[in-house]
Amino acid sequence: MAAVLYPNLMDPQDLCSEAAVCDIAKDWTCEDCVGGIEFAAGYFESEASIQDGIDLLSGESFCGAPGATEDCAEQMANWLPIAIPILSAALRDQEIELCQEEVGVCMAS
């Protein structure tokens, strides 16, 4: 599921375009990184993104794949509106650690 959602729904290029920061060449600060994670989490949990995720997973790439259950599309429609906000909250809960590990900012002094 994540392999289908991430490159299609959480594409880094789309996120930076949406946030209008793709052309900004600068050193990232902790504030920049945390703000970026907050933006990504909000983008991911928006009604439009959740519906895009439902549409994507209900299609051939996930529910149409061999081994998918007959009610797969119905399950996506039922559970993604619950699951995605939980995942977004987890992203926010780990923002400092993510910024430390992935960007090298927000280090304790």
Side-chain angles (χ1 to χ4, degrees):
M1 188 181 299
V4 174
L5 282 177
Y6 178 73
N8 294 289
L9 192 59
M10 292 287 287
D11 178 49
Q13 188 64 37
D14 288 346
L15 287 173
C16 81
S17 293
E18 186 77 23
V21 296
C22 294
D23 296 329
I24 298 174
K26 65 176 190 167
D27 291 331
W28 279 58
T29 65
C30 181
E31 186 177 292
D32 294 332
C33 183
V34 168
I37 289 175
E38 286 288 330
F39 177 83
Y43 176 84
F44 190 43
E45 69 187 357
S46 72
E47 286 186 33
S49 289
I50 291 172
Q51 187 59 54
D52 288 346
I54 292 168
D55 294 344
L56 181 65
L57 292 174
S58 295
E60 292 302 311
S61 61
F62 190 76
C63 287
T69 61
E70 286 186 28
D71 67 341
C72 181
E74 181 182 340
Q75 291 298 323
M76 294 303 108
N78 289 335
W79 288 106
L80 283 182
I82 296 167
I84 289 178
I86 292 169
L87 293 172
S88 291
L91 190 61
R92 287 184 181 100
D93 288 346
Q94 298 174 26
E95 61 193 14
I96 297 299
E97 292 86 357
L98 289 168
C99 289
Q100 290 171 342
E101 294 171 12
E102 302 299 324
V103 183
V105 296
C106 300
M107 301 300 188
S109 325

